[in-house]
Amino acid sequence: MHRLSVGGRMAQAASLCTPEGRALCFHLQQSPVTMDASEFRRRGKEMVDYVADYMEGIEGRQVYPDVEPGYLRPLIPTTAPQEPDTFEDIINDVEKIIMPGVTHWHSPYFFAYFPTASSYPSMLADMLCGAIGCIGFSWAASPACTELETVMMDWLGKMLQLPEAFLAGNAGEGGGVIQGSASEATLVALLAARTKVTRRLQAASPGLTQAAIMEKLVAYSSDQAHSSVERAGLIGGVKLKAIPSDGKFAMRASALQEALERDKAAGLIPFFVVATLGTTSCCSFDNLLEVGPICIKEDVWLHIDAAYAGSAFICPEFRPLLNGVEFADSFNFNPHKWLLVNFDCSAMWVKKRTDLTGAFKLDPVYLKHSHQDSGLITDYRHWQLPLGRRFRSLKMWFVFRMYGIKGLQAYIRKHVQLSHEFESLVQQDPRFEICAEVTLGLVCFRLKGSNKLTKALLERINNAKKIHLVPCHLRDKFVLRFAICSRTVESAHVQLAWEHIRGLATELLKAEKE
C-alpha cells in the first residue's frame, strides 16, 4: 500500500469536507511527524555505522581539540528552528561543529585523568534503556528496573568478594545501589551518617537540638582524598579535616587516632571517615586494616571511596588491596571508569540499607504502592538524592554477560601490564624519576630538577596535542600522570607516547642550556 507523505495526508484531509477530515488536518499541522518507526530503523543503522566508524577511526583524530572558549556559539543559530531540520543536516553539523570541539577520551593517545569506560555492549544497553524510558524511582514504576539493579549489584559484589553483609540476597540487611558518581555516593554516605549520629545522640539526650549537634560534627579523610569529599562536607554542613598521609601517601592509624583524640578533647563529635583506595593524584591506598578497627572502636561511619581502583578488585591478585572492607559501613567504586560500563554507573553498597532509607525516606501518597512494605523489594528513591533514575543496570547486565568475569579480568590486567611497561621506559631514562609506587594503571613521573622544568614539559606535550596528560602535586613536587585509559590502547601506543615525551624533553633541556 502506498504511504502518503505528511504533506499528502494533509492535502487529503483538507479535501474531506467532514469534521474528521478537518480534525486530522489540524492535528497534522500541530504535530508534524519528523521520524516514524520506519525511518528510525534506517537512521538508527546509519547512526550505529557512524559510531562504529568513529570508534574505529578515533586513533586518527587529534586527541585534544584546537578550539578556544566560546568557539561553538557563532557556529549555530541563536534560536531553535521553527521548522524541522533534516537528519542529514544534523549529522553533517556533528562533524563540522561538535567533533572539532571534542576531547577524544577513548583515543589510544588519551592518558589524562582516569579512564572512562566504553564498550559496544554497554552502548547497545543504553539504546534499550532509552527506548524503555522508565523513571525507576520505585518498584511499581518499573519492577524490572528495580529488581535487575538489586541482582546486578549482588553479582558485582560477589565478583569483588565483598562480605555477605553488603549483599541484598533474599533477606539481607545490606545491598547495593547505582549512584550517578562517586561524588554522589560520598555525599549520600555522609548525610546518612549525619542522620544516624544525630538520632543516636538525641535519643540519649532528648534536649539536644539538631543545630547543637551539627556545629560539633567532624568528618575526616586523607590529605590525598578527592576534592569531592571536601565538597560533601560543604554540602552536608559539617567540618572536614584532612589527615596527613605517610611517605606512601596513605592514611595511617596513628595520624587518624591523634586527630580523633584532639577533637574529642575539644568537645567535637567525630562521626565520619572516608578512606580512599586508589587516590586521584597517585593511586595510593589508605590502610584499611589500621583505619577500620579505629572506626569500629570510636563508633564512626567508615566510607570507602575506590572510584578508580575498585574495578581491579575482581582480579584475585589485586583483591588484597580491599582487605579491611569488612570494617566499612559503605563502599563505592565506578564501573564507569574501568569496567567497560559507560557513564554513568557508580556502584555503592551499604551494610544496613535502613541507614540510607532512614535518612532519605519520604512517602507522598502519589508515590506509594501496595508492595512497598512487603519486605521483598526496595524503592531506590530512598537510597539517593534524586527521585528519578534511569535503567542503568541494563548496561551492567549486557557487559557482564558479553565479556564474562574472565574477559573483564583480562582487560584490567592488560592495562596494568601497559602501565608497568611505561614505568620501565621511564626508569631507563636517567633524566626522569618515578614519583609514586605503580600499583595499577597509573604512572606518576617527572623530569628531575625544578618544578619549572616539568611544567614546561607538560606545556609542550599538550601544545603538540599528539597525546594528552594532566598533572598533579605530590607534596612539593609537580608531577605528570600517565594513566592507561582507552579500551583499544596497545603497547605500540605507549611506546609512541614515550618517544614523543622523550623527544620533547630533549628539546626542552637543550633550550634550557642555550
Side-chain angles (χ1 to χ4, degrees), residues 388-404:
R389 52 204 340 272
R390 298 171 66 244
F391 201 162
R392 292 176 290 202
S393 56
L394 283 171
K395 294 183 288 191
M396 300 170 75
W397 195 43
F398 275 47
V399 169
F400 295 167
R401 292 182 68 182
M402 295 190 75
Y403 278 90

Side-chain angles (χ1 to χ4, degrees), residues 8-25:
R9 287 157 64 198
M10 288 178 67
Q12 184 188 60
S15 70
L16 298 176
C17 295
T18 65
E20 291 82 3
R22 288 191 292 274
L24 176 59
C25 181

